[in-house]
Amino acid sequence: SLKIMGEDVWKNRTEKVNAELFTLTYGSIVSQLCIDYQRDFQKVNKQLFSMGYNIGVRLIEDFLAKTALPRCENMVKTSEAISKCAFKIFLNMTPQVTNFSPEKDAFSLIIDENPLSDFVELPMDAMKQLWYSNILCGVLKGALQMVQLECDVWFISDVLKGDAHTELRIKLNKVLKDEIPI
Amino acid sequence: PQYFAILGKSDNPVYEAEFTTQQGQQGQLQKGFPQHLKELNPFIMHASLDIIEDLQWKLNSNVQHGTNNSGFGSFLRSKNVNVTDNCYLGKVDHFYGLAITAYLTFSGMKFVMIHGNLDKNSTQVDDNAVKSFYQEVHELYIKTLMNPFYKINDPITSAAFDTRVRSLARKYLN
Amino acid sequence: PTPSRLYSESLMFRKQEVSL
């Protein structure tokens, strides 16, 4: 039902924009960051994450308004909501959910078609350090934090670096509880 | 043999390659241009740029009213073909039996090729095959442009690009 | 050097849209 909902929202309740415009805009941001930070790719990764975080804390509002999803009971449900609904609605793709930890508090998303990295070839010096799509990690971190899930999100592998697939890992650290102000 | 180059906005070579003929039936080795011609190729190509730019900026007076924009002539006039949206200019120049063909991308990059002939006779150019070659290289060039880390007008140093261009040359030119 | 996938992707048959 999450899959059907995701497809329905994508088809009927989502305004769309040309994917090439999106890809080229993101590409120009990343390449400009590389120039601005004088090819210090750790700083670029950090800045992309920060940008993504700022997007994520806002994007979750739009997501919940469109889907009206209730709170997920566990991380398994959360992973399905992320892959079948969120990625579908915003990026028109459905990553695969795999590699659940034994405690079911961590999982991986295998991203096959990433519109952010279409037609990208990393320069040699960037291959070792730059996580090109690191903005996605920030988006997920920010969005999950707004629904009281404090998570670590990071890339394990990336096809742009020559790996077999692009894998993103999400690990729940703790469930945040609203605290009464002093 | 052919000498192919992609020329940038300042007539700078963005990509260069020489395509040699295939092995002959008598087991001849691959033959390229003779050494003295190899050194001359960039100069021959450079000499044809004036003609190419003349064609590039000449308005096509053969365009009918209403078929293209407001009826003004469009750019990219070909000497041989009257199609207004044609990037392929055909044979634009010659140099002592060598033929020079050209193709213009929409952003003004020039694809130019010198066609040699080992028999030292005047070279015949198969327009359809050459046009197909140029069009496929154009697609490869667009993919290169889509890479945000590639700066326009910079040399294309990708080995993958070179391999694909050479395989297109084998497919269409030899 | 990593084999390039840049030239094996098609320009035409790709996803055309993402969410605005």
Short mmCIF file of all heavy atoms in Angstrom, two decimals, chain B residues 63-119:
data_model
loop_
_atom_site.label_atom_id
_atom_site.label_comp_id
_atom_site.label_asym_id
_atom_site.label_seq_id
_atom_site.Cartn_x
_atom_site.Cartn_y
_atom_site.Cartn_z
N VAL B 63 15.58 29.58 -47.10
CA VAL B 63 14.52 29.23 -46.16
C VAL B 63 13.23 29.89 -46.59
O VAL B 63 13.19 31.07 -46.89
CB VAL B 63 14.87 29.70 -44.74
CG1 VAL B 63 13.74 29.42 -43.77
CG2 VAL B 63 16.13 29.00 -44.28
N GLN B 64 12.14 29.12 -46.61
CA GLN B 64 10.83 29.66 -46.96
C GLN B 64 10.25 30.40 -45.76
O GLN B 64 10.52 30.07 -44.63
CB GLN B 64 9.88 28.52 -47.34
CG GLN B 64 10.36 27.70 -48.53
CD GLN B 64 10.28 28.47 -49.82
OE1 GLN B 64 9.42 29.33 -49.98
NE2 GLN B 64 11.19 28.19 -50.75
N HIS B 65 9.39 31.36 -46.03
CA HIS B 65 8.68 32.07 -44.97
C HIS B 65 7.85 31.09 -44.16
O HIS B 65 7.16 30.26 -44.70
CB HIS B 65 7.72 33.10 -45.57
CG HIS B 65 8.24 34.47 -45.43
ND1 HIS B 65 8.19 35.18 -44.25
CD2 HIS B 65 8.87 35.28 -46.30
CE1 HIS B 65 8.75 36.37 -44.41
NE2 HIS B 65 9.17 36.45 -45.65
N GLY B 66 7.91 31.21 -42.87
CA GLY B 66 7.05 30.41 -41.99
C GLY B 66 7.59 29.05 -41.66
O GLY B 66 7.09 28.37 -40.79
N THR B 67 8.62 28.62 -42.34
CA THR B 67 9.13 27.28 -42.04
C THR B 67 10.12 27.32 -40.89
O THR B 67 10.35 26.36 -40.21
CB THR B 67 9.86 26.67 -43.25
OG1 THR B 67 10.86 27.57 -43.67
CG2 THR B 67 8.89 26.40 -44.37
N ASN B 68 10.71 28.47 -40.66
CA ASN B 68 11.72 28.54 -39.61
C ASN B 68 11.68 29.90 -38.95
O ASN B 68 11.94 30.90 -39.59
CB ASN B 68 13.10 28.28 -40.23
CG ASN B 68 14.13 27.97 -39.16
OD1 ASN B 68 13.78 27.73 -38.01
ND2 ASN B 68 15.38 28.00 -39.52
N ASN B 69 11.32 29.93 -37.71
CA ASN B 69 11.27 31.15 -36.91
C ASN B 69 10.43 32.22 -37.60
O ASN B 69 9.30 31.98 -38.02
CB ASN B 69 12.68 31.67 -36.62
CG ASN B 69 13.42 30.72 -35.73
OD1 ASN B 69 12.81 29.97 -34.97
ND2 ASN B 69 14.73 30.69 -35.83
N SER B 70 10.96 33.39 -37.78
CA SER B 70 10.13 34.46 -38.33
C SER B 70 10.33 34.61 -39.82
O SER B 70 9.91 35.58 -40.42
CB SER B 70 10.49 35.77 -37.62
OG SER B 70 11.86 36.00 -37.80
N GLY B 71 10.98 33.63 -40.42
CA GLY B 71 11.17 33.73 -41.85
C GLY B 71 12.54 34.28 -42.19
O GLY B 71 12.91 34.33 -43.36
N PHE B 72 13.29 34.72 -41.19
CA PHE B 72 14.66 35.13 -41.48
C PHE B 72 15.46 33.89 -41.82
O PHE B 72 15.14 32.78 -41.41
CB PHE B 72 15.29 35.80 -40.26
CG PHE B 72 14.77 37.18 -40.02
CD1 PHE B 72 13.87 37.42 -38.99
CD2 PHE B 72 15.17 38.25 -40.81
CE1 PHE B 72 13.38 38.69 -38.76
CE2 PHE B 72 14.68 39.51 -40.58
CZ PHE B 72 13.78 39.74 -39.55
N GLY B 73 16.54 34.07 -42.55
CA GLY B 73 17.41 32.93 -42.84
C GLY B 73 18.04 32.41 -41.57
O GLY B 73 18.28 33.17 -40.64
N SER B 74 18.31 31.16 -41.53
CA SER B 74 18.94 30.60 -40.34
C SER B 74 20.43 30.44 -40.61
O SER B 74 20.90 30.61 -41.72
CB SER B 74 18.32 29.26 -40.01
OG SER B 74 18.76 28.31 -40.93
N PHE B 75 21.15 30.09 -39.58
CA PHE B 75 22.57 29.87 -39.72
C PHE B 75 22.83 28.46 -40.26
O PHE B 75 21.92 27.75 -40.62
CB PHE B 75 23.27 30.06 -38.37
CG PHE B 75 23.09 31.45 -37.83
CD1 PHE B 75 22.38 31.68 -36.67
CD2 PHE B 75 23.64 32.55 -38.50
CE1 PHE B 75 22.22 32.97 -36.18
CE2 PHE B 75 23.47 33.83 -38.00
CZ PHE B 75 22.76 34.04 -36.84
N LEU B 76 24.06 28.09 -40.23
CA LEU B 76 24.49 26.73 -40.62
C LEU B 76 24.10 26.42 -42.05
O LEU B 76 23.46 25.43 -42.35
CB LEU B 76 23.89 25.68 -39.67
CG LEU B 76 24.28 25.84 -38.19
CD1 LEU B 76 23.64 24.78 -37.37
CD2 LEU B 76 25.77 25.81 -38.00
N ARG B 77 24.47 27.29 -42.92
CA ARG B 77 24.17 27.02 -44.32
C ARG B 77 25.20 26.05 -44.86
O ARG B 77 26.40 26.24 -44.72
CB ARG B 77 24.24 28.33 -45.10
CG ARG B 77 24.05 28.11 -46.57
CD ARG B 77 24.20 29.41 -47.30
NE ARG B 77 24.01 29.21 -48.73
CZ ARG B 77 23.87 30.18 -49.59
NH1 ARG B 77 23.90 31.42 -49.18
NH2 ARG B 77 23.72 29.94 -50.87
N SER B 78 24.73 25.03 -45.50
CA SER B 78 25.64 24.08 -46.11
C SER B 78 25.73 24.39 -47.60
O SER B 78 24.74 24.76 -48.21
CB SER B 78 25.10 22.67 -45.91
OG SER B 78 25.76 21.77 -46.76
N LYS B 79 26.90 24.21 -48.16
CA LYS B 79 27.05 24.45 -49.60
C LYS B 79 26.29 23.41 -50.40
O LYS B 79 25.82 23.67 -51.48
CB LYS B 79 28.54 24.38 -49.98
CG LYS B 79 29.29 25.65 -49.65
CD LYS B 79 30.58 25.77 -50.43
CE LYS B 79 31.58 24.71 -50.05
NZ LYS B 79 32.90 24.98 -50.62
N ASN B 80 26.20 22.21 -49.82
CA ASN B 80 25.66 21.10 -50.61
C ASN B 80 24.24 20.72 -50.26
O ASN B 80 23.54 20.11 -51.04
CB ASN B 80 26.55 19.87 -50.42
CG ASN B 80 27.97 20.17 -50.80
OD1 ASN B 80 28.23 20.79 -51.80
ND2 ASN B 80 28.90 19.76 -49.96
N VAL B 81 23.83 21.05 -49.06
CA VAL B 81 22.51 20.59 -48.61
C VAL B 81 21.70 21.79 -48.18
O VAL B 81 22.20 22.67 -47.49
CB VAL B 81 22.64 19.62 -47.41
CG1 VAL B 81 21.28 19.08 -47.01
CG2 VAL B 81 23.58 18.48 -47.74
N ASN B 82 20.43 21.83 -48.59
CA ASN B 82 19.62 23.00 -48.27
C ASN B 82 18.73 22.83 -47.06
O ASN B 82 17.77 23.55 -46.88
CB ASN B 82 18.74 23.35 -49.48
CG ASN B 82 19.57 24.06 -50.54
OD1 ASN B 82 20.54 24.73 -50.19
ND2 ASN B 82 19.21 23.88 -51.79
N VAL B 83 19.04 21.86 -46.24
CA VAL B 83 18.23 21.65 -45.03
C VAL B 83 18.72 22.63 -43.96
O VAL B 83 19.90 22.71 -43.69
CB VAL B 83 18.38 20.20 -44.52
CG1 VAL B 83 17.58 20.00 -43.26
CG2 VAL B 83 17.94 19.23 -45.60
N THR B 84 17.80 23.37 -43.37
CA THR B 84 18.22 24.46 -42.50
C THR B 84 18.74 23.99 -41.16
O THR B 84 19.51 24.68 -40.52
CB THR B 84 17.03 25.40 -42.23
OG1 THR B 84 15.97 24.63 -41.66
CG2 THR B 84 16.57 26.04 -43.51
N ASP B 85 18.31 22.85 -40.70
CA ASP B 85 18.77 22.43 -39.37
C ASP B 85 19.90 21.42 -39.49
O ASP B 85 20.11 20.61 -38.62
CB ASP B 85 17.61 21.84 -38.57
CG ASP B 85 16.96 20.67 -39.28
OD1 ASP B 85 17.36 20.38 -40.42
OD2 ASP B 85 16.07 20.04 -38.69
N ASN B 86 20.65 21.48 -40.56
CA ASN B 86 21.69 20.50 -40.79
C ASN B 86 23.02 21.01 -40.26
O ASN B 86 23.50 22.05 -40.68
CB ASN B 86 21.79 20.22 -42.29
CG ASN B 86 22.64 19.01 -42.56
OD1 ASN B 86 22.87 18.20 -41.69
ND2 ASN B 86 23.13 18.92 -43.78
N CYS B 87 23.59 20.23 -39.35
CA CYS B 87 24.88 20.65 -38.81
C CYS B 87 26.04 20.24 -39.71
O CYS B 87 27.13 20.78 -39.63
CB CYS B 87 25.10 20.01 -37.44
SG CYS B 87 23.83 20.44 -36.24
N TYR B 88 25.76 19.25 -40.57
CA TYR B 88 26.84 18.69 -41.40
C TYR B 88 27.04 19.59 -42.62
O TYR B 88 26.12 19.83 -43.38
CB TYR B 88 26.46 17.27 -41.82
CG TYR B 88 27.46 16.61 -42.75
CD1 TYR B 88 28.79 16.45 -42.36
CD2 TYR B 88 27.08 16.14 -44.00
CE1 TYR B 88 29.71 15.84 -43.19
CE2 TYR B 88 28.00 15.52 -44.84
CZ TYR B 88 29.31 15.38 -44.43
OH TYR B 88 30.22 14.77 -45.26
N LEU B 89 28.24 20.06 -42.79
CA LEU B 89 28.51 20.98 -43.89
C LEU B 89 29.03 20.28 -45.13
O LEU B 89 29.18 20.90 -46.18
CB LEU B 89 29.53 22.04 -43.44
CG LEU B 89 29.13 22.89 -42.24
CD1 LEU B 89 30.22 23.90 -41.92
CD2 LEU B 89 27.82 23.62 -42.50
N GLY B 90 29.33 19.00 -45.01
CA GLY B 90 29.86 18.28 -46.16
C GLY B 90 31.32 18.63 -46.42
O GLY B 90 32.04 19.10 -45.54
N LYS B 91 31.75 18.43 -47.67
CA LYS B 91 33.13 18.73 -48.04
C LYS B 91 33.25 20.23 -48.19
O LYS B 91 32.57 20.83 -49.02
CB LYS B 91 33.47 18.00 -49.34
CG LYS B 91 34.90 18.23 -49.81
CD LYS B 91 35.19 17.45 -51.09
CE LYS B 91 36.47 17.94 -51.72
NZ LYS B 91 36.76 17.27 -53.00
N VAL B 92 34.09 20.85 -47.39
CA VAL B 92 34.18 22.31 -47.40
C VAL B 92 35.44 22.81 -48.10
O VAL B 92 35.51 23.95 -48.54
CB VAL B 92 34.12 22.90 -45.97
CG1 VAL B 92 32.78 22.61 -45.33
CG2 VAL B 92 35.24 22.35 -45.10
N ASP B 93 36.46 21.94 -48.19
CA ASP B 93 37.73 22.41 -48.74
C ASP B 93 38.51 21.19 -49.24
O ASP B 93 38.13 20.04 -49.00
CB ASP B 93 38.52 23.15 -47.64
CG ASP B 93 39.60 24.05 -48.21
OD1 ASP B 93 39.69 24.19 -49.46
OD2 ASP B 93 40.38 24.62 -47.41
N HIS B 94 39.59 21.48 -49.93
CA HIS B 94 40.46 20.39 -50.35
C HIS B 94 41.90 20.89 -50.35
O HIS B 94 42.16 22.10 -50.40
CB HIS B 94 40.05 19.86 -51.73
CG HIS B 94 40.24 20.89 -52.81
ND1 HIS B 94 41.39 20.98 -53.57
CD2 HIS B 94 39.42 21.88 -53.23
CE1 HIS B 94 41.26 21.98 -54.41
NE2 HIS B 94 40.08 22.54 -54.23
N PHE B 95 42.82 19.94 -50.30
CA PHE B 95 44.24 20.31 -50.33
C PHE B 95 44.98 19.22 -51.07
O PHE B 95 45.24 18.15 -50.53
CB PHE B 95 44.76 20.47 -48.88
CG PHE B 95 46.21 20.86 -48.79
CD1 PHE B 95 46.59 22.20 -48.90
CD2 PHE B 95 47.20 19.90 -48.60
CE1 PHE B 95 47.93 22.56 -48.82
CE2 PHE B 95 48.54 20.26 -48.52
CZ PHE B 95 48.91 21.60 -48.63
N TYR B 96 45.29 19.48 -52.32
CA TYR B 96 46.04 18.52 -53.14
C TYR B 96 45.53 17.09 -53.00
O TYR B 96 46.25 16.20 -52.62
CB TYR B 96 47.53 18.55 -52.76
CG TYR B 96 48.20 19.83 -53.16
CD1 TYR B 96 48.56 20.77 -52.20
CD2 TYR B 96 48.46 20.13 -54.49
CE1 TYR B 96 49.17 21.96 -52.57
CE2 TYR B 96 49.06 21.32 -54.87
CZ TYR B 96 49.41 22.23 -53.90
OH TYR B 96 50.00 23.42 -54.25
N GLY B 97 44.25 16.91 -53.28
CA GLY B 97 43.70 15.56 -53.24
C GLY B 97 43.12 15.16 -51.90
O GLY B 97 42.38 14.18 -51.81
N LEU B 98 43.46 15.86 -50.85
CA LEU B 98 42.87 15.57 -49.54
C LEU B 98 41.56 16.34 -49.44
O LEU B 98 41.49 17.51 -49.83
CB LEU B 98 43.79 16.03 -48.40
CG LEU B 98 45.18 15.42 -48.35
CD1 LEU B 98 46.01 16.10 -47.27
CD2 LEU B 98 45.11 13.92 -48.08
N ALA B 99 40.53 15.68 -48.91
CA ALA B 99 39.24 16.35 -48.72
C ALA B 99 39.09 16.75 -47.26
O ALA B 99 39.55 16.03 -46.37
CB ALA B 99 38.11 15.41 -49.12
N ILE B 100 38.44 17.88 -47.04
CA ILE B 100 38.19 18.34 -45.66
C ILE B 100 36.69 18.50 -45.48
O ILE B 100 36.04 19.23 -46.25
CB ILE B 100 38.90 19.67 -45.40
CG1 ILE B 100 40.41 19.45 -45.50
CG2 ILE B 100 38.57 20.20 -44.00
CD1 ILE B 100 41.16 20.59 -46.07
N THR B 101 36.15 17.77 -44.50
CA THR B 101 34.72 17.90 -44.18
C THR B 101 34.59 18.55 -42.81
O THR B 101 35.52 18.54 -42.01
CB THR B 101 34.04 16.52 -44.15
OG1 THR B 101 34.70 15.70 -43.19
CG2 THR B 101 34.07 15.86 -45.51
N ALA B 102 33.39 19.09 -42.58
CA ALA B 102 33.18 19.80 -41.32
C ALA B 102 31.75 19.60 -40.84
O ALA B 102 30.84 19.30 -41.62
CB ALA B 102 33.47 21.28 -41.48
N TYR B 103 31.62 19.80 -39.54
CA TYR B 103 30.31 19.66 -38.87
C TYR B 103 30.31 20.66 -37.72
O TYR B 103 31.32 20.81 -37.03
CB TYR B 103 30.21 18.23 -38.33
CG TYR B 103 28.94 17.88 -37.58
CD1 TYR B 103 27.92 17.19 -38.21
CD2 TYR B 103 28.80 18.19 -36.23
CE1 TYR B 103 26.77 16.82 -37.52
CE2 TYR B 103 27.65 17.83 -35.54
CZ TYR B 103 26.64 17.15 -36.18
OH TYR B 103 25.51 16.78 -35.51
N LEU B 104 29.21 21.37 -37.56
CA LEU B 104 29.14 22.39 -36.51
C LEU B 104 28.12 21.99 -35.45
O LEU B 104 26.99 21.64 -35.79
CB LEU B 104 28.73 23.74 -37.10
CG LEU B 104 29.78 24.43 -37.96
CD1 LEU B 104 29.16 25.57 -38.74
CD2 LEU B 104 30.91 24.96 -37.10
N THR B 105 28.49 22.07 -34.19
CA THR B 105 27.51 21.84 -33.13
C THR B 105 26.72 23.14 -32.92
O THR B 105 27.10 24.20 -33.43
CB THR B 105 28.17 21.44 -31.81
OG1 THR B 105 28.83 22.59 -31.26
CG2 THR B 105 29.16 20.32 -31.99
N PHE B 106 25.64 23.03 -32.18
CA PHE B 106 24.77 24.19 -32.00
C PHE B 106 25.43 25.28 -31.16
O PHE B 106 25.02 26.42 -31.19
CB PHE B 106 23.44 23.75 -31.40
CG PHE B 106 22.71 22.77 -32.25
CD1 PHE B 106 22.59 21.44 -31.87
CD2 PHE B 106 22.18 23.15 -33.47
CE1 PHE B 106 21.95 20.52 -32.67
CE2 PHE B 106 21.53 22.22 -34.28
CZ PHE B 106 21.42 20.91 -33.88
N SER B 107 26.47 24.90 -30.41
CA SER B 107 27.15 25.93 -29.62
C SER B 107 28.40 26.45 -30.33
O SER B 107 29.16 27.22 -29.76
CB SER B 107 27.54 25.35 -28.26
OG SER B 107 28.38 24.22 -28.44
N GLY B 108 28.60 26.01 -31.56
CA GLY B 108 29.70 26.58 -32.35
C GLY B 108 31.01 25.80 -32.29
O GLY B 108 32.03 26.28 -32.77
N MET B 109 30.98 24.62 -31.71
CA MET B 109 32.19 23.80 -31.75
C MET B 109 32.32 23.21 -33.15
O MET B 109 31.33 22.81 -33.75
CB MET B 109 32.11 22.66 -30.73
CG MET B 109 31.97 23.12 -29.31
SD MET B 109 33.41 23.99 -28.70
CE MET B 109 34.49 22.63 -28.36
N LYS B 110 33.55 23.15 -33.63
CA LYS B 110 33.75 22.67 -35.01
C LYS B 110 34.34 21.25 -34.97
O LYS B 110 35.37 21.01 -34.34
CB LYS B 110 34.71 23.60 -35.74
CG LYS B 110 34.22 25.04 -35.82
CD LYS B 110 35.27 25.89 -36.52
CE LYS B 110 34.92 27.37 -36.43
NZ LYS B 110 35.07 27.95 -35.10
N PHE B 111 33.67 20.35 -35.67
CA PHE B 111 34.23 19.01 -35.89
C PHE B 111 34.78 19.03 -37.31
O PHE B 111 34.02 19.24 -38.26
CB PHE B 111 33.16 17.92 -35.79
CG PHE B 111 32.52 17.75 -34.43
CD1 PHE B 111 32.90 18.50 -33.34
CD2 PHE B 111 31.54 16.80 -34.24
CE1 PHE B 111 32.32 18.34 -32.10
CE2 PHE B 111 30.95 16.61 -32.99
CZ PHE B 111 31.33 17.38 -31.92
N VAL B 112 36.07 18.85 -37.47
CA VAL B 112 36.68 18.93 -38.80
C VAL B 112 37.50 17.67 -39.04
O VAL B 112 38.11 17.15 -38.11
CB VAL B 112 37.60 20.18 -38.92
CG1 VAL B 112 37.99 20.41 -40.37
CG2 VAL B 112 36.92 21.42 -38.37
N MET B 113 37.48 17.22 -40.29
CA MET B 113 38.22 15.99 -40.59
C MET B 113 38.90 16.11 -41.95
O MET B 113 38.30 16.60 -42.91
CB MET B 113 37.25 14.81 -40.58
CG MET B 113 37.93 13.46 -40.73
SD MET B 113 37.08 12.11 -39.88
CE MET B 113 35.43 12.30 -40.43
N ILE B 114 40.15 15.66 -41.99
CA ILE B 114 40.90 15.59 -43.25
C ILE B 114 40.87 14.14 -43.71
O ILE B 114 41.28 13.24 -42.96
CB ILE B 114 42.35 16.06 -43.07
CG1 ILE B 114 42.37 17.50 -42.55
CG2 ILE B 114 43.11 15.96 -44.38
CD1 ILE B 114 43.76 17.99 -42.21
N HIS B 115 40.39 13.93 -44.93
CA HIS B 115 40.30 12.57 -45.47
C HIS B 115 41.45 12.37 -46.43
O HIS B 115 41.57 13.09 -47.43
CB HIS B 115 38.97 12.38 -46.21
CG HIS B 115 37.78 12.63 -45.36
ND1 HIS B 115 37.01 11.62 -44.82
CD2 HIS B 115 37.22 13.80 -44.92
CE1 HIS B 115 36.03 12.15 -44.10
NE2 HIS B 115 36.14 13.45 -44.15
N GLY B 116 42.28 11.39 -46.13
CA GLY B 116 43.43 11.10 -46.99
C GLY B 116 43.13 9.96 -47.93
O GLY B 116 42.13 9.27 -47.82
N ASN B 117 44.07 9.75 -48.85
CA ASN B 117 43.92 8.66 -49.80
C ASN B 117 45.31 8.15 -50.11
O ASN B 117 46.16 8.89 -50.59
CB ASN B 117 43.25 9.17 -51.09
CG ASN B 117 42.85 8.02 -51.98
OD1 ASN B 117 43.51 6.98 -52.03
ND2 ASN B 117 41.76 8.18 -52.68
N LEU B 118 45.54 6.87 -49.80
CA LEU B 118 46.88 6.31 -49.96
C LEU B 118 47.27 6.17 -51.42
O LEU B 118 48.44 6.05 -51.75
CB LEU B 118 46.97 4.95 -49.25
CG LEU B 118 46.78 5.04 -47.74
CD1 LEU B 118 46.68 3.65 -47.15
CD2 LEU B 118 47.92 5.80 -47.09
N ASP B 119 46.23 6.15 -52.31
CA ASP B 119 46.54 6.03 -53.74
C ASP B 119 46.94 7.36 -54.35
O ASP B 119 47.20 7.44 -55.53
CB ASP B 119 45.31 5.49 -54.50
CG ASP B 119 44.94 4.11 -54.03
OD1 ASP B 119 45.85 3.41 -53.54
OD2 ASP B 119 43.76 3.73 -54.13
#
